[in-house]
């Protein structure tokens, strides 16, 4: 119950839209989702107005849609559920920051970009990961870094990621998916799984333990999400304004 009370109107709206395809819902659905957590209608509508003013959402009559920036976040979320990988030949990507005199806000934005690209920082300004992902380097990275392909003499994986911690949380979330009851609890568990999948470094199998739970968590979540969305939208469509 404490976790439910800590959910803000903004978080409820964002989680609802990020989990919807397309990310477009009527205000009444968002109000009813807020009600699952005891959030008053007025509080949800104030949050919607503030999110539109901040550029997080776009409003079209009764409907609210994610802004372009948040659509990109949804794309990363979707990719974390169905990652685009390629066979790994042992090569690593290394990005060394060579830009000078970056403003604090620029450094923070760069760090967020590198994390979204699933690189980890070996030391300040040196980011790396196995070259097993299918993607392009964004201009914000190529403008600030020298990019290198290389093969470490040893395996730096333990220095870069807490794989045991990620796996332990994945197993906890698998159990939470099995136990989740009711729309509110299912909503929270769903959001927690998606956040955790975004933190998966998506390493090649060669660097993971045989019992790595990434694929199993994705499969269980996909099954849970199909069933949960059906029940949620059936519930929302039955409600009146």
């Amino acid at each position: 119950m404490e976790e439910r009370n800590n959910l803000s109107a903004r978080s409820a709206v964002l989680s609802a839209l990020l989990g919807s395809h397309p990310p477009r819902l009527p205000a009444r659905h968002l109000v009813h989702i807020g009600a699952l957590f005891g959030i008053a209608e007025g509080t949800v509508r104030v949050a919607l107005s503030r999110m539109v003013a901040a550029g997080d959402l776009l409003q079209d009559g009764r409907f609210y849609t994610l802004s372009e920036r948040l659509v990109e976040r949804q794309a990363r979320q979707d990719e974390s559920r169905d990652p685009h990988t390629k066979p790994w030949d042992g090569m690593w990507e290394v990005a060394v920051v060579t830009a000078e005199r970056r403003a604090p806000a620029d450094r923070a934005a760069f760090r967020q970009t590198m994390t979204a690209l699933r690189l980890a920082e070996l030391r300040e300004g040196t980011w790396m990961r196995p070259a097993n992902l299918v993607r392009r380097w964004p201009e914000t990275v190529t403008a600030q870094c020298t990019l290198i392909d290389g093969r470490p003499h040893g395996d730096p994986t333990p220095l870069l990621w807490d794989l045991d911690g990620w796996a332990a949380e994945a197993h906890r979330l698998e159990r939470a998916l099995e136990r989740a009851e009711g729309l509110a609890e299912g909503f929270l568990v769903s959001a927690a799984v998606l956040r955790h999948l975004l933190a998966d470094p998506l390493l090649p199998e060669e660097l993971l333990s045989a019992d790595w739970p990434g694929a199993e968590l994705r499969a269980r979540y996909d099954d849970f999400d199909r069933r949960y969305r059906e029940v949620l939208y059936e519930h929302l469509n039955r409600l009146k304004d």
Side-chain angles (χ1 to χ4, degrees):
M1 183 64 68
E2 180 181 357
E3 186 176 10
R4 288 178 58 181
N5 291 337
N6 287 338
L7 188 71
S8 69
R10 184 179 187 277
S11 295
V13 167
L14 277 182
S15 294
L17 288 168
L18 285 167
S20 300
H21 294 79
R24 183 173 186 265
L25 290 172
R28 68 183 182 90
H29 280 190
L30 296 169
V31 165
H32 291 316
I33 287 172
L36 294 174
F37 303 96
I39 303 172
E41 176 178 350
T43 302
V44 174
R45 292 192 182 277
V46 168
L48 289 170
S49 296
R50 290 176 176 173
M51 294 169 76
V52 170
D56 293 328
L57 301 181
L58 303 175
Q59 183 178 6
D60 177 16
R62 298 180 297 108
F63 288 85
Y64 289 86
T65 308
L66 294 178
S67 66
E68 182 178 353
R69 174 177 60 83
L70 289 173
V71 167
E72 292 175 358
R73 176 176 165 182
Q74 185 187 51
R76 293 196 303 272
Q77 181 175 283
D78 291 344
E79 199 271 341
S80 73
R81 295 178 60 179
D82 184 20
H84 300 113
T85 60
K86 60 184 179 182
W88 187 54
D89 62 1
M91 192 69 70
W92 284 66
E93 302 169 340
V94 183
V96 181
V97 177
T98 51
E100 298 180 359
R101 298 183 180 180
R102 297 178 298 159
D106 293 335
R107 290 198 299 269
F110 174 80
R111 181 172 291 276
Q112 290 179 352
T113 297
M114 298 303 273
T115 301
L117 291 168
R118 290 182 164 80
L119 281 90
E121 197 171 23
L122 181 65
R123 61 182 302 276
E124 186 175 0
T126 301
W127 297 76
M128 60 191 300
R129 67 156 294 111
N132 70 316
L133 298 183
V134 179
R135 53 165 167 69
R136 294 182 179 180
W137 292 103
E139 185 177 351
T140 54
V141 174
T142 58
Q144 299 182 61
C145 296
T146 295
L147 302 179
I148 302 168
D149 291 332
R151 297 175 184 269
H153 288 187
D155 179 11
T157 302
L159 300 175
L160 298 169
W161 294 280
D162 177 14
L163 298 185
D164 290 341
W166 195 94
E169 178 64 6
H171 288 307
R172 186 191 74 80
L173 289 170
E174 287 177 5
R175 296 190 294 271
L177 287 171
E178 294 176 357
R179 296 194 306 263
E181 295 182 356
L183 290 173
E185 185 177 358
F187 190 93
L188 291 174
V189 172
S190 178
V193 171
L194 290 174
R195 286 194 301 271
H196 195 56
L197 290 178
L198 280 171
D200 185 350
L202 298 180
L203 300 178
E205 292 182 2
E206 293 88 339
L207 298 178
L208 298 172
S209 62
D211 59 350
W212 179 252
E216 179 66 18
L217 179 60
R218 287 180 176 82
R220 292 194 183 192
Y221 178 73
D222 286 345
D223 181 61
F224 173 88
D225 186 56
R226 281 191 296 270
R227 292 181 283 108
Y228 179 78
R229 294 288 163 186
E230 290 178 2
V231 175
L232 176 63
Y233 291 130
E234 181 180 347
H235 169 76
L236 294 175
N237 288 325
R238 282 201 310 264
L239 296 173
K240 297 181 180 179
D241 293 333

